[in-house]
C-alpha cells in the first residue's frame, strides 16, 4: 500500500470499514503502525446539493491536480447510502477521467447507515490514503442532516458548492452550512448560467459579510466556477492553498486538527460508555418505549433517564 | 409556591440548583409532583452581546406584559457566572421596574460553571416558574460559547438582539446565532441611533433571506426596537405570539418541546453513563493527560479512548 498499490489501499479501507471485532483490532493496529506516514495531505471537504455538479467538478479539479503531479483521493460521506443506495453512488462513471487516472483513487461512502459510523470509517480512510502517498484528499458529502458538520470535522478546509439563481427549495439544505464554509463556490458559471452565477456570488458575498465570518484571519471568498468548462478551478485550488498558508501562519491549521483529534477521542469514549444503549436489546427496547413516553409528556425526561441509567449500571 | 408566593419559588429554585444528592432527589420529586402544572408558559429565549441593552429591553417589555395581566419570570443562563461573576449579574438594579413588580420574578444565572449544569438547573427553574403561575418566561443569555444553542433548546422561540452599525468586533459573537433566530430585533433605534438601526435591519433582512430560514412556515422578521423608548416592543411581543400561532398550527410548537424533552433525556443518560469521567479523580487526571498527548499527536485518539474506556469498564 505504501508503495502506491491502489488495490492494497482498497483492501485496507475494506478492513477499517468492517465492524467485526477482530477486524477492528487489526484496523487499529494498522493505523497505529502507519501513523507516522499520515497527516501530510490537504484534507478538503466539499458539499453541495444533488444536482450542483459535484462529480463533474471533482473530476475536473482532480484531473487538474494529477496533471500537476498531485495524487488525489476522493472519499464520500453519505449516511443515507446504507438505505437509499445513497445520493452519492460512488459510481466511478460519474468521474470518468479520475476513474482511469493512475494518480487518483475513488472510494464510495461506507454503507454503515449511521453518520457516526460513516464518519469514523472515513476518518480512518483519510489516514490510510495519506499513508498511501495521496497528498490531496477530497471528501464529498451531500446536504443531508449533520453530514456537512461531520465532514467539516474531518477536514482542513470546507468548500460549499452552490448554484446561481437556485430557488428557495435549496435554502433549507443550505441552512447552517454557511457557518462551516471556508470557501463558497457558485458552480455552473458557464454559457447562459454565467451571469446568473456571478449575480448569486455577489449576493452570497454580501450576505456572508453582514452575518460575519468564522475565522478572525480568513475572509470567506465566494467564487464562480464551472466543473464543465474548468472555469475558476485553478482559482479554487489557489484559494485552498491560500487558506492553508493563512491558517498555518495563524496556527489555526494545527489547532483545527488538534481539536478534531481531541473531539474524536471524546466521541469514541462516549460511544464506548454508551455502547450498551445500542447493544443491549432489553435496554434498547426500553429506551425506545421511554422516548415515546417522554415525547407524549407521560413521563419526565429525568425519570426516564434515571430508569435507563440504572439499567446501565446493573451488570 | 403555587399560590404565587415568590419567596417559596425562590427557595424551590435554590433546591433544584443544589448538587447535593439528597437535594437532587427532593428536586426531582418536587418537579415530578408539579409536572401537571407546567408547560403553559411561553418560553422566550433572548440573546445579545453585552451592551446591546438586554436588561433595559427586558425591563420595559416585562413591564408592558405585567401591565397587561401577564406574570413574567426572567431567568439567565450564563456559564461564565461561576468564574467571572458573570456577564449577566442578575443584578436587580438592572431591571428597576421589574425588580419591584409583584407580577415579575427575576433570577440570576445559577453559578454552576458548566453550561450543561447551568442549562439543567435553568430547565428545572422554567418548570417551577410555570407551576408558580408565570405565563411568560424570558431566558436571557450572552454570546458566549454554546450558551445560545443551550437556551434555544430550553425555549419555544429565540430572539436575537443586535445593534445597528455595529462594527466587525461583534461579528464573531453573532456567528452561528442567526441559525437559531426566530426573531431578530435591532435595539437602540432611538434618537440618532434610529436611522442606523433601520439601515442595519434592512441589511440583516436581506442577508437572512439569501441564506435561507430555519422553518418552512416561519419567515424570520427583523424588527427595530428601543428598550429605552419602548419603540417596537409591542410589535416584538405580537411577533412572538404570531410565531406561536404559526408554530402551533404547523405542529412545530409541540414538536419542538417534544424534541427538547427527548434530547434532554438522552443528555441526562449520557451524563450518567460518563459520570465517572468527571467524578473519578484517577480517570479525570488520565483523561487530561491523554488529551494533551492526542493534541500533540503522540497517541492516536483511538488508543487514548481505548485506555479510558477500559478504565471506565474496570469497576
Amino acid at each position: 500500500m505504501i508503495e502506491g498499490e491502489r488495490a492494497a489501499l482498497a483492501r485496507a479501507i475494506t478492513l477499517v470499514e468492517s465492524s467485526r471485532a477482530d477486524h477492528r483490532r487489526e484496523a487499529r493496529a494498522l493505523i497505529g503502525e502507519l501513523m507516522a506516514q499520515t497527516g501530510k495531505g490537504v484534507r478538503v471537504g466539499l458539499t453541495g446539493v444533488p444536482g450542483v455538479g459535484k462529480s463533474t467538478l471533482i473530476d475536473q479539479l482532480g484531473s487538474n491536480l494529477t496533471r500537476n503531479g498531485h495524487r488525489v483521493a476522493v472519499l464520500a460521506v453519505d449516511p443515507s447510502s446504507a438505505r437509499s443506495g445513497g445520493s452519492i453512488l460512488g459510481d466511478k462513471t460519474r468521474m470518468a477521467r479520475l476513474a482511469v487516472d493512475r494518480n487518483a483513487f475513488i472510494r464510495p461512502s461506507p454503507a454503515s447507515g449511521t453518520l457516526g459510523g460513516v464518519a469514523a470509517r472515513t476518518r480512518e480512510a483519510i489516514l490510510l490514503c495519506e499513508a498511501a502517498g495521496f497528498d490531496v484528499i477530497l471528501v464529498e458529502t451531500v446536504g443531508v442532516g449533520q453530514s456537512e458538520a461531520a465532514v467539516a470535522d474531518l477536514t482542513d478546509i470546507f468548500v460549499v458548492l452552490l448554484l446561481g439563481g437556485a430557488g428557495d427549495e435549496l435554502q433549507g439544505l443550505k441552512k447552517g452550512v454557511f457557518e462551516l464554509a471556508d470557501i463558497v463556490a457558485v458552480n455552473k458559471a458557464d454559457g447562459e448560467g454565467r451571469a446568473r452565477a456571478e449575480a448569486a456570488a455577489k449576493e452570497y458575498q454580501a450576505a456572508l459579510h453582514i452575518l460575519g465570518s468564522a475565522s478572525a484571519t480568513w475572509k470567506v471568498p465566494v467564487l464562480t466556477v464551472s466543473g464543465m468548462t474548468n472555469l475558476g478551478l485553478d482559482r479554487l485550488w489557489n484559494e485552498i492553498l491560500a487558506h492553508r498558508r493563512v491558517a498555518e501562519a495563524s496556527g489555526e491549521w494545527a489547532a483545527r486538527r488538534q481539536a478534531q483529534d481531541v473531539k474524536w477521542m471524546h466521541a469514541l469514549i462516549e460511544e464506548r460508555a454508551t455502547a450498551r444503549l445500542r447493544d443491549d436489546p432489553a435496554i434498547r427496547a426500553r429506551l425506545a418505549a421511554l422516548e415515546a413516553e417522554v415525547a407524549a409528556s407521560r413521563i419526565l425526561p429525568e425519570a426516564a433517564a434515571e430508569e435507563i441509567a440504572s439499567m446501565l449500571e446493573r451488570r
Side-chain angles (χ1 to χ4, degrees), chain A:
Chain A
M1 187 188 102
I2 288 181
E3 287 156 2
E5 178 48 65
R6 287 181 302 175
L9 173 58
R11 282 197 302 279
I13 293 179
T14 303
L15 173 68
V16 302
E17 286 181 356
S18 165
S19 52
R20 253 178 56 186
D22 56 330
H23 288 168
R24 292 302 308 142
R25 273 192 301 279
E26 281 181 61
R28 267 198 298 273
L30 175 64
I31 290 166
E33 276 177 49
L34 294 171
M35 191 169 182
Q37 278 92 290
T38 67
K40 297 180 197 64
V42 185
R43 305 166 183 173
V44 181
L46 255 153
T47 191
V49 296
V52 76
K54 273 193 304 300
S55 308
T56 307
L57 183 138
I58 291 171
D59 194 39
Q60 181 64 61
L61 175 63
S63 302
N64 296 349
L65 291 170
T66 56
R67 198 177 314 108
N68 292 323
H70 292 287
R71 297 189 65 219
V72 179
V74 180
L75 306 174
V77 167
D78 180 6
S80 68
S81 58
R83 296 187 298 286
S84 61
S87 336
I88 299 174
L89 297 169
D91 173 355
K92 298 194 173 190
T93 62
R94 294 180 316 135
M95 301 178 192
R97 277 165 298 185
L98 282 189
V100 296
D101 188 327
R102 287 202 37 67
N103 292 310
F105 176 82
I106 302 175
R107 180 82 178 193
S109 179
S112 132
T114 80
L115 178 56
V118 172
R121 304 294 80 80
T122 303
R123 179 179 171 281
E124 295 174 326
I126 289 171
L127 298 173
L128 292 173
C129 291
E130 288 179 335
F134 288 90
D135 63 323
V136 179
I137 320 290
L138 303 176
V139 184
E140 65 169 321
T141 190
V142 284
V144 283
Q146 291 302 303
S147 61
E148 285 106 343
V151 169
D153 270 340
L154 292 171
T155 52
D156 302 313
I157 177 164
F158 195 69
V159 178
V160 175
L161 289 182
L162 300 169
L163 290 178
D168 286 341
E169 73 281 354
L170 292 186
Q171 302 284 333
L173 287 160
K174 289 209 296 296
K175 209 196 142 290
V177 172
F178 279 97
E179 299 300 330
L180 303 171
D182 298 301
I183 296 176
V184 171
V186 183
N187 195 23
K188 301 192 180 176
D190 41 50
E192 307 188 331
R194 182 154 189 170
R196 194 165 59 240
E198 278 163 1
K202 279 193 188 57
E203 282 198 319
Y204 287 123
Q205 186 76 77
L208 286 166
H209 175 70
I210 291 162
L211 299 192
S213 108
S215 156
T217 59
W218 178 254
K219 188 167 158 304
V220 176
V222 180
L223 320 177
T224 51
V225 299
S226 167
M228 206 170 72
T229 68
N230 204 7
L231 172 105
L233 295 191
D234 287 345
R235 169 140 186 241
L236 173 57
W237 180 247
N238 287 334
E239 290 286 357
I240 290 170
L241 296 180
H243 174 271
R244 179 175 195 162
R245 273 194 306 276
V246 170
E248 278 179 337
S250 68
E252 288 170 274
W253 184 274
R256 180 167 174 165
R257 283 194 174 184
Q258 290 175 8
Q260 286 172 346
D261 280 351
V262 171
K263 189 171 176 182
W264 193 252
M265 175 188 73
H266 285 288
L268 291 168
I269 292 170
E270 210 161 79
E271 194 184 334
R272 277 281 291 271
T274 57
R276 289 183 63 234
L277 292 176
R278 293 174 298 275
D279 306 342
D280 183 321
I283 293 180
R284 218 171 55 227
R286 189 59 191 142
L287 183 58
L290 284 170
E291 277 184 6
E293 293 288 300
V294 167
S297 308
R298 280 193 295 270
I299 178 173
L300 272 175
E302 286 78 1
E306 183 64 35
E307 182 179 336
I308 294 295
S310 55
M311 283 177 89
L312 280 175
E313 282 148 24
R314 232 177 294 120
R315 283 176 183 250

